[in-house]
Amino acid sequence: MPSRAPTATTNERGSPRRPLSLAARAAIATTFVLAGFLGLVGLTLTQTNKARALRTLHDRLENFTIAYITGTDVNRYGRLLPPETSPNPNFSRPGSGLYAVALGDHGFHWESSSAIGRDFTFLKPLEPGQSQFVGPVDTRMGRLYYYSYGVALDTVEKKSVRLTVMVAQTEDQLEGENAVFRHTLVIWLSILGVMLIALQLLLLRWSLTPLRKVASDMSRVERGDSEQLDSQYPLELTGLTERINAFITNEREQRTRYRHTLADLAHSLKTPLAVIRSQLESPAAGDEAARRASVLDQVRRMNELVAYQLSRAATSGRQTFASAVPIAGHAEDLVQGLEKVYAAKNVLCEFDIEDGAVFYGEQGDLLELMGNLLENAFKWAGHRVLLVVKMLPQPGRQRPGLWLGVEDDGPGIAEDQIEKVLQRGVRGDERVQGHGIGLSIVQDIVHAYQGELVVDRSPELGGARFSVKLAAS
């Protein structure tokens, strides 16, 4: 069966459901993490308190047992005498849940007032020095924890009488204390959780303030109240805002370039159209061949103007997310074509291109830039042309800059003629074939990429050198 493309999640009305905001995502994630963390803290504290309570119960029952052993005496006949006082009033209150039982030689059996009528048949005598803490165990009185200890008491005749004392407590007393602790713990952890969530929301709001500032500044740019994102942003957002500003600048320059191109094209075509109209509206008398030649010359000029303006308008300029275009291969292709065109001059083109040199932009812009510079060099060179390409890395920038130079061994360009040569439609020598728009296109491309074009004399070949420098970004 043919597969179907995945569709976006929609609501009941069929419109796409908007994803949760960053603040909502962070708040939900924080709530779940905080709930899990506080739950683990509560469980840990509950287990710790339970272990502490159990240890406290052990020590408490042990102290009661020692107190009863200390209060038990042996008469001169070897009979055990039960203790006269109890270490806690609950031993005297029936059903208090705190019990004491003593077993000894000669059938000795003693119970505290609270243990009268209770079943302690599970109690077994212990050897002297032996002790045990057991619980909870199921009995007819409920679940009990008890501590028992065996001793040997000496008589006057230096005889020993064995005694085992047990002190027990019902489980509900211990569980009651644990329940109170758990209840208190839940209340305080809940309060703490609510306070932490509120604090986290405040921190999120403060942390996301720069993003809201970016959105606000973008709205101001869209309304035309600001040219760029001009606020101060945190380091993490600097790269993003710089690229947004570069994108805004590029788009604005692109629109300006289109607008200027259309205006220039309309202005440039006025004169040729006027000449053609004048030729066509003039009386029939005259040289028809001359009129035809004049019209064809104006048509040729119009064609050149349209080609130039379209080339200038097509310049993409610096792009934030432009791919890297390798330079070496394209340079070889351009030179091979130019060597065929200028085969009669026998020009040798040398390369000094850094390994891995790339151009961040449109491939068409690179070909137009190098093609015009190389063609100009071949046109004026005697026999040698040199192409130099170097990368210009800069710390803190993701994309390095680029330096591209084209040199020749021709006559060069006088300093006072450089500005004139770079003007649109001007040729360095009217006797040399060309349209005079190549270097102007180069200038437009360099300007679109926020670069710099320098014309001087080649230190190696002695002719002209055209250097293009594009900054890192």
Side-chain angles (χ1 to χ4, degrees):
M1 296 178 61
S3 59
R4 296 192 304 174
T7 57
T9 303
T10 59
N11 55 24
E12 295 179 355
R13 297 183 178 180
S15 59
R17 183 177 301 170
R18 175 177 295 183
L20 293 175
S21 65
L22 293 179
R25 292 170 183 263
I28 292 175
T30 301
T31 301
F32 278 109
V33 171
L34 187 59
F37 174 74
L38 292 180
L40 289 176
V41 170
L43 180 61
T44 302
L45 292 178
T46 299
Q47 295 297 326
T48 302
N49 178 75
K50 185 176 181 179
R52 181 196 59 78
L54 196 60
R55 180 63 185 175
T56 301
L57 177 63
H58 173 275
D59 295 341
R60 181 187 181 197
L61 297 182
E62 182 181 17
N63 291 334
F64 288 158
T65 301
I66 293 174
Y68 274 117
I69 291 175
T70 303
T72 303
D73 201 358
V74 182
N75 62 15
R76 57 188 303 177
Y77 303 107
R79 298 285 182 177
L80 291 169
L81 302 176
E84 297 180 355
T85 60
S86 60
N88 190 291
N90 287 329
F91 287 107
S92 303
R93 184 165 55 87
S96 64
L98 190 61
Y99 314 109
V101 179
L103 301 177
D105 291 343
H106 310 296
F108 177 79
H109 180 89
W110 173 86
E111 297 176 347
S112 64
S113 301
S114 59
I116 296 176
R118 307 288 178 174
D119 182 12
F120 291 96
T121 56
F122 59 87
L123 180 62
K124 303 298 181 183
L126 300 179
E127 295 295 327
Q130 184 180 0
S131 65
Q132 60 179 191
F133 177 71
V134 183
V137 294
D138 294 321
T139 66
R140 295 180 180 179
M141 298 165 287
R143 295 168 64 84
L144 292 178
Y145 288 91
Y146 69 88
Y147 179 87
S148 56
Y149 190 77
V151 296
L153 302 178
D154 294 333
T155 63
V156 178
E157 289 80 7
K158 302 300 181 181
K159 294 181 179 180
S160 62
V161 179
R162 293 188 300 177
L163 174 67
T164 299
V165 177
M166 180 204 73
V167 176
Q169 179 178 304
T170 55
E171 183 188 32
D172 56 354
Q173 297 186 24
L174 179 64
E175 288 301 315
E177 296 176 359
N178 290 336
V180 171
F181 176 82
R182 287 193 299 268
H183 180 71
T184 305
L185 182 64
V186 168
I187 292 177
W188 282 107
L189 287 181
S190 299
I191 295 174
L192 178 62
V194 172
M195 293 176 61
L196 289 177
I197 291 176
L199 178 61
Q200 181 64 25
L201 292 177
L202 293 176
L203 291 176
L204 280 174
R205 181 173 180 82
W206 176 77
S207 301
L208 295 177
T209 298
L211 289 178
R212 289 193 295 272
K213 180 62 175 175
V214 171
S216 175
D217 290 348
M218 283 294 297
S219 298
R220 294 175 61 243
V221 172
E222 292 174 355
R223 293 194 304 267
D225 298 336
S226 178
E227 293 291 327
Q228 288 187 332
L229 305 180
D230 52 4
S231 300
Q232 296 294 327
Y233 304 103
L235 179 63
E236 293 79 4
L237 295 179
T238 301
L240 173 64
T241 53
E242 287 181 352
R243 282 161 175 77
I244 292 177
N245 281 334
F247 180 78
I248 294 173
T249 301
N250 183 67
E251 288 297 311
R252 186 177 292 114
E253 290 182 352
Q254 192 79 359
R255 290 195 302 269
T256 302
R257 188 158 52 249
Y258 286 151
R259 186 168 57 252
H260 289 174
T261 298
L262 292 176
D264 292 347
L265 182 59
H267 179 75
S268 301
L269 293 178
K270 284 182 180 180
T271 300
L273 287 174
V275 173
I276 293 175
R277 181 176 180 179
S278 175
Q279 292 291 332
L280 294 177
E281 292 180 350
S282 63
D287 189 355
E288 186 67 25
R291 179 187 300 179
R292 178 181 177 86
S294 176
V295 171
L296 289 177
D297 183 65
Q298 296 302 321
V299 170
R300 177 186 59 79
R301 183 182 176 189
M302 291 170 62
N303 183 60
E304 293 175 356
L305 290 171
V306 171
Y308 164 70
Q309 297 293 355
L310 291 179
S311 298
R312 189 175 67 169
T315 302
S316 299
R318 181 183 293 270
Q319 298 180 4
T320 304
F321 306 103
S323 58
V325 181
I327 296 178
H330 294 298
E332 293 178 359
D333 294 339
L334 289 172
V335 169
Q336 289 178 3
L338 291 171
E339 286 177 345
K340 295 178 182 179
V341 174
Y342 295 91
K345 298 184 65 173
N346 192 26
V347 177
L348 173 64
C349 183
E350 304 174 57
F351 290 158
D352 184 8
I353 302 177
E354 182 178 329
D355 292 338
V358 294
F359 172 78
Y360 290 98
E362 289 293 331
Q363 179 177 313
D365 293 342
L366 173 64
L367 295 178
E368 195 73 31
L369 177 67
M370 283 201 307
N372 281 292
L373 290 178
L374 287 171
E375 183 179 8
N376 183 75
F378 269 79
K379 186 183 302 181
W380 290 95
H383 296 287
R384 293 181 62 192
V385 172
L386 175 62
L387 172 62
V388 182
V389 180
K390 297 180 180 179
M391 302 302 291
L392 304 175
Q394 182 176 342
R397 298 291 182 177
Q398 295 185 354
R399 302 189 301 191
L402 176 69
W403 190 90
L404 186 149
V406 178
E407 308 174 28
D408 62 68
D409 61 349
I413 304 175
E415 292 186 6
D416 58 348
Q417 295 294 317
I418 291 177
E419 184 177 353
K420 178 181 177 182
V421 169
L422 294 179
Q423 294 178 2
R424 176 173 58 89
V426 177
R427 300 198 299 270
D429 190 340
E430 296 294 334
R431 296 171 296 177
V432 179
Q433 184 179 3
H435 306 306
I437 63 174
L439 295 180
S440 180
I441 293 176
V442 169
Q443 280 200 110
D444 290 340
I445 295 175
V446 172
H447 176 73
Y449 281 86
Q450 302 173 16
E452 180 184 6
L453 174 63
V454 177
V455 182
D456 56 6
R457 185 165 294 276
S458 170
E460 182 175 347
L461 302 184
R465 178 174 66 176
F466 290 80
S467 305
V468 174
K469 182 179 180 181
L470 303 179
S473 60

